[in-house]
Amino acid sequence: MFWVKSKKYSVLVYFLLVLFFTVTFFYRQTYALSQDISVTPTSFNLSLKPGSITHGSFTVINQGSNSFQFSVYSSPYSVSNEDYTPDFNVLPGAPKVVTWFGFSQNSGQLNPGSESSVDYTITVPSSTPAGGYYAIAFAETHSPPTTNGVTIN
């Protein structure tokens, strides 16, 4: 989680690093490939003032036995109703919080048992009004091209 607060302004940025699981199976005779990705840490708590910049990092880990390519990106985030159903659309009139975030890499390749550190930068515009703002980051695997079999994402 990213909490952005100031004495003069109260700006809340909730930035979840959510593990977006894309399990890919493709069959070649009796061979099945699965991709196991995880992200650590999964959330952060920060206090930032409008106009400030902060830096940090998280790690993408390949816990599987096969190599894969991955991508990292941010998306708007909000919840609706009592069930807290996630919504990944920009709310009307809300700042585009995803533009506040930058990543040192947007994609990479991970071999089995390896990890990659991804640096992030959060730049809160100085004109940001008081309120709560939310975004989410995804780490997602990509399936290799197949010439036979089935790919399920």
Side-chain angles (χ1 to χ4, degrees):
M1 284 182 245
F2 289 102
W3 298 94
V4 180
K5 294 185 180 182
S6 134
K7 293 179 183 172
K8 294 182 182 178
Y9 300 96
S10 179
V11 179
L12 171 69
V13 176
Y14 184 61
F15 184 66
L16 284 175
L17 295 173
V18 172
L19 176 60
F20 181 78
F21 287 102
T22 303
V23 179
T24 304
F25 298 98
F26 58 95
Y27 299 93
R28 292 185 186 151
Q29 298 180 15
T30 60
Y31 178 75
L33 169 67
S34 68
Q35 299 170 346
D36 297 314
I37 184 174
S38 63
V39 176
T40 185
T42 57
S43 63
F44 297 92
N45 287 312
L46 299 173
S47 290
L48 301 173
K49 296 179 182 180
S52 66
I53 299 172
T54 192
H55 305 278
S57 66
F58 57 90
T59 304
V60 180
I61 305 166
N62 181 346
Q63 294 182 316
S65 57
N66 298 291
S67 296
F68 59 74
Q69 293 184 352
F70 70 94
S71 62
V72 175
Y73 60 95
S74 59
S75 174
Y77 179 77
S78 63
V79 295
S80 60
N81 64 43
E82 297 83 33
D83 296 329
Y84 292 94
T85 304
D87 184 356
F88 303 104
N89 297 301
V90 176
L91 296 174
K96 294 182 181 173
V97 180
V98 295
T99 63
W100 300 359
F101 297 89
F103 301 105
S104 60
Q105 62 182 32
N106 294 318
S107 62
Q109 170 87 23
L110 284 176
N111 293 320
S114 67
E115 56 187 49
S116 180
S117 180
V118 178
D119 298 326
Y120 64 84
T121 301
I122 303 172
T123 305
V124 182
S126 57
S127 60
T128 303
Y133 305 101
Y134 304 88
I136 192 166
F138 289 103
E140 173 180 81
T141 63
H142 295 281
S143 304
T146 61
T147 56
N148 59 12
V150 200
T151 300
I152 301 171
N153 286 335

